[in-house]
Amino acid sequence: MSLLEGKRALIVGVASNRSIAYGIAQAMRREGADLAFTYQNDKLRGRVEKFAAELGSDITVPCDVSSDSEIQKVFEHLKDHWDHFDILIHSVAFAPREQLEGAYLDSVTREGFLMAHEISSYSFTALAGAARSMMQGRQGAMLTLSYIGAVRAMPNYNVMGVAKASLEANVRYMASDLGPEGIRVNAISAGPIRTLAASGIKGLRGFLSHVEEVSPLRRNVTTGEVGNVAAFLCSDFASAVTGEITYVDCGYSTVGAT
Ligand code: NAD
Ligand code: 0WE
């Protein structure tokens, strides 16, 4: 039996075949789920439609998560295809580029702080609120992506770390609200991966080689490995797991000096 047979998943955050959301979509499809996708803007539309088709889906909907009306429309559109669904994947983050360089206090601004929190944390709340009614009466699951910068100060990650701390708290509050409705809410804290969001980040290479040197598994994690854990956490095998942050980082977060 496949892990996600008979489940329907909405995936928010595919931008390329390197996206963590793409690794999650592949794993979920392999495990028998039916998929739907959103794309941020027209620039990404064609690409996401192609990925969707490859993964057996013809449901693609625009959604810039900074817009309440676009978020509402996603679920109106989804209702044309599905009367309910089971899984919501949130794999979205953004801070203005100049916030992710240099010392935290030198780079952070009111505007950058608000933008990082809005796109990277509040958007999960907003999507969950809009998805909620279509996820009733099933063993539903929501999942977002975090990073260790939420709980440890990492060079250059800066305000994104503060926004990820907000996102992780969001997971706990949402899990508390939605648990009585049978909906679980969790996060995966992934190790660094060279995706679009990570390309051009100063010092990413250093982060990747540090993990290779000190993590117990002495290597970096892949989007496929994040996808496998995502499939498990959103499956009924994880039916008693909610409000949790699961590290998928080759053990990096568990060691001190090596
Ligand atoms: P990615 O660039 O492939 O994905 C980021 C996604 O965010 C893109 O699909 C982009 O369209 C979307 N996005 C940004 N602003 C948006 C907006 N206003 N509206 C709608 N969508 C918007 O990069 P990724 O690394 O796969 O990132 C996915 C998630 O994983 C993020 O939350 C990121 O913080 C997290 N994460 C990444 C790493 C890493 O090292 N790559 C590690 C841990 C966690
Ligand atoms: O969460 C992230 C990256 C999120 C991100 C990336 C960008 C790049 C383009 C958010 N906003 C933007 N804004 C842009 O203009 N990661 C976990 C990957 C990442 O980002 C870092 C890292 C790592 C790892 C930034 C600094 C240091 C390490």
Side-chain angles (χ1 to χ4, degrees):
M1 195 201 81
S2 315
L3 222 47
L4 298 173
E5 210 62 62
K7 301 262 195 199
R8 291 169 172 167
L10 173 64
I11 309 220
V12 179
V14 174
S16 78
N17 59 2
R18 292 181 167 197
S19 291
I20 293 176
Y22 183 77
I24 294 174
Q26 277 186 311
M28 290 197 160
R29 182 63 186 162
R30 186 193 70 223
E31 294 302 326
D34 287 322
L35 308 179
F37 296 85
T38 69
Y39 53 89
Q40 184 184 352
N41 51 40
D42 277 341
K43 219 182 84 192
L44 293 175
R45 177 181 181 160
R47 230 188 289 174
V48 172
E49 283 175 351
K50 189 187 117 224
F51 294 141
E54 285 167 12
L55 296 168
S57 167
D58 62 353
I59 315 177
T60 57
V61 198
C63 184
D64 184 320
V65 296
S66 63
S67 159
D68 284 335
S69 70
E70 284 199 21
I71 289 176
Q72 281 311 323
K73 278 190 207 135
V74 169
F75 298 94
E76 286 166 23
H77 187 115
L78 205 55
K79 279 202 185 95
D80 295 342
H81 301 265
W82 293 345
D83 53 355
H84 59 256
F85 71 102
D86 308 276
I87 296 169
L88 173 67
I89 302 298
H90 173 270
S91 187
V92 172
F94 184 80
R97 166 64 53 100
E98 62 280 5
Q99 300 281 303
L100 304 175
E101 280 175 30
Y104 173 55
L105 286 176
D106 292 341
S107 63
V108 69
T109 62
R110 185 185 299 272
E111 224 188 338
F113 188 101
L114 289 172
M115 173 77 81
H117 283 73
E118 179 187 1
I119 304 301
S120 315
S121 179
Y122 177 71
S123 64
F124 189 37
T125 323
L127 282 164
R132 187 176 190 175
S133 66
M134 285 181 77
M135 294 179 72
Q136 292 298 309
R138 3 217 347 108
Q139 295 185 280
M142 301 181 180
L143 183 75
T144 187
L145 274 299
S146 192
Y147 180 61
I148 194 172
V151 296
R152 292 193 207 164
M154 306 290 275
N156 301 317
Y157 199 61
N158 296 353
V159 76
M160 267 310 306
V162 184
K164 289 299 192 189
S166 160
L167 178 67
E168 292 187 2
N170 227 327
V171 165
R172 292 183 283 273
Y173 278 88
M174 287 165 56
S176 168
D177 272 8
L178 296 174
E181 299 171 15
I183 301 171
R184 298 179 298 103
V185 186
N186 292 291
I188 287 175
S189 184
I193 302 176
R194 196 174 287 287
T195 62
L196 280 184
S199 72
I201 295 291
K202 270 197 189 140
L204 182 80
R205 193 174 307 157
F207 276 70
L208 290 167
S209 55
H210 180 59
V211 172
E212 270 183 21
E213 279 157 24
V214 310
S215 69
L217 298 181
R218 299 287 193 275
R219 62 175 180 84
N220 282 286
V221 69
T222 65
T223 57
E225 291 175 311
V226 175
N228 287 341
V229 177
F232 160 69
L233 284 174
C234 294
S235 80
D236 297 343
F237 283 102
S239 54
V241 180
T242 194
E244 281 291 325
I245 316 298
T246 301
Y247 282 77
V248 181
D249 67 345
C250 298
Y252 176 78
S253 71
T254 67
V255 294
T258 51

